[in-house]
Amino acid sequence: MAMTPAETIIDVPVELEEALIELAPALPAWAVAGSFLAGSTIDQYRAQLTLAPLFDETISGLLRTLSGAPGGYAVVRLGNIARALGTGDQFLRVATAILAGLAVPFQPFKRWPLWKEIGTNLNANPGRSTGTGYNAFHMDLVNATRPPDYTTLLCIRPDALGGGPSILSDARAAVSRLSPSNRALLAEKAYRYGSFFELSDVGEEYTPFAVLDSDPVDAGFVRFTAKMLTEPGLDEAHASAARELADHLIGGQTSFMLQRGDVLILNQHRFMHGREPLGAGQEAVPPTDRRLLLQLFLRSAGDCIPYTHPGQAATRM
């Protein structure tokens, strides 16, 4: 199992940390225009943060890590800022302002605020994002024609029992190891997963979909969720091809534990994500102490074309 490359862990320079803590009270509450962080808020945040030492250099480095080889994801450590500010509104504004330097934050799920809670529900299906079990490799909003370019996960509380490490895998690298016959099968529109309602700015429902959006693969998404293997109607040939891809994803996975204040930023054009099981005995952990992440999504600035289809609906995660 591969471990997290050091270059994907971003320790914020001390000078920038101190400046962000000092600037936090001056950052205004955000406004949202439709599903996107409002342009006026982005302008205000950028005006404030560009005054901070090393901010532009840090953002430039992050963008290189997210878009270049062997990049595709980054973990930004904001733990010291979380300790100074707590994880309330001021801290969330700092985190949002940093992400707004990379792309445009948005929340496609209409019923959720900008930052969507992913808590721990002992009654949920263990394999769901809020469950306690293994959450298999997937991309978010796999059945939308325009999935978010980036998924971000902010750790408010890690698992008190020491479980739940995040897992990531390079989807393009996994595809490169496929047999030619299975690669051809994955390029066919044969896969389905999830329902689709109450969504904004992710295009239309895409079902059935092809796992390989395009050839070459780096021109599109690798649309994969292991949960599609349990959907009815999938024939054995296409299921076998998807299982080979799942095996390669697992074989090339990276595993690491998010700590309080860590922000995982994942380029969905490159990487799949998931989670190992939480520690056994969650029923003994008070609900207010259980693992809690916050999630928002990012759209590349040049691709923010608001779109709402009358029949849109939310996909399971």
Side-chain angles (χ1 to χ4, degrees), residues 165-207:
S166 296
I167 53 174
L168 302 180
S169 194
D170 186 331
R172 294 180 187 174
V175 168
S176 73
R177 296 190 286 269
L178 289 168
S179 64
S181 59
N182 280 346
R183 188 165 176 156
L185 285 165
L186 292 170
E188 297 176 359
K189 295 179 180 178
Y191 300 91
R192 292 176 170 83
Y193 177 71
S195 54
F196 199 85
F197 62 93
E198 294 182 357
L199 288 176
S200 293
D201 299 301
V202 291
E204 301 180 60
E205 182 174 13
Y206 186 14
T207 185

Side-chain angles (χ1 to χ4, degrees), residues 65-118:
T65 298
L66 292 169
S67 60
Y73 71 93
V75 178
V76 183
R77 288 186 163 157
L78 302 180
N80 290 335
I81 299 173
R83 280 187 284 275
L85 299 175
T87 55
D89 290 346
Q90 287 190 11
F91 176 73
L92 290 181
R93 290 171 195 169
V94 169
T96 305
I98 291 171
L99 294 173
L102 299 170
V104 182
F106 81 116
Q107 180 52 258
F109 294 92
K110 291 181 179 179
R111 65 184 183 274
W112 296 105
L114 187 65
W115 286 97
K116 173 182 178 286
E117 284 196 3
I118 300 178

Side-chain angles (χ1 to χ4, degrees), residues 17-201:
E17 281 183 337
E18 292 173 347
L20 291 173
I21 292 167
E22 185 175 341
L23 285 169
L27 294 175
W30 60 70
V32 176
S35 58
F36 290 97
L37 186 66
S40 58
T41 299
I42 293 173
D43 290 343
Q44 289 174 299
Y45 285 176
R46 288 179 179 170
Q48 291 285 340
L49 267 61
T50 53
L51 301 175
L54 301 177
F55 177 74
D56 290 340
E57 294 89 337
T58 299
I59 292 298
S60 295
L62 260 174
L63 286 168
R64 287 192 298 272
T65 298
L66 292 169
S67 60
Y73 71 93
V75 178
V76 183
R77 288 186 163 157
L78 302 180
N80 290 335
I81 299 173
R83 280 187 284 275
L85 299 175
T87 55
D89 290 346
Q90 287 190 11
F91 176 73
L92 290 181
R93 290 171 195 169
V94 169
T96 305
I98 291 171
L99 294 173
L102 299 170
V104 182
F106 81 116
Q107 180 52 258
F109 294 92
K110 291 181 179 179
R111 65 184 183 274
W112 296 105
L114 187 65
W115 286 97
K116 173 182 178 286
E117 284 196 3
I118 300 178
T120 301
N121 182 353
L122 304 189
N123 297 316
N125 182 320
R128 297 285 292 275
S129 59
T130 57
T132 61
Y134 176 70
N135 185 222
F137 279 117
H138 63 280
M139 71 171 291
D140 289 326
L141 294 134
V142 65
N143 62 340
T145 55
R146 296 177 62 230
D149 296 306
Y150 300 92
T151 288
T152 75
L153 293 167
L154 168 58
C155 182
I156 300 298
R157 289 191 303 270
D159 179 17
L161 299 177
S166 296
I167 53 174
L168 302 180
S169 194
D170 186 331
R172 294 180 187 174
V175 168
S176 73
R177 296 190 286 269
L178 289 168
S179 64
S181 59
N182 280 346
R183 188 165 176 156
L185 285 165
L186 292 170
E188 297 176 359
K189 295 179 180 178
Y191 300 91
R192 292 176 170 83
Y193 177 71
S195 54
F196 199 85
F197 62 93
E198 294 182 357
L199 288 176
S200 293
D201 299 301

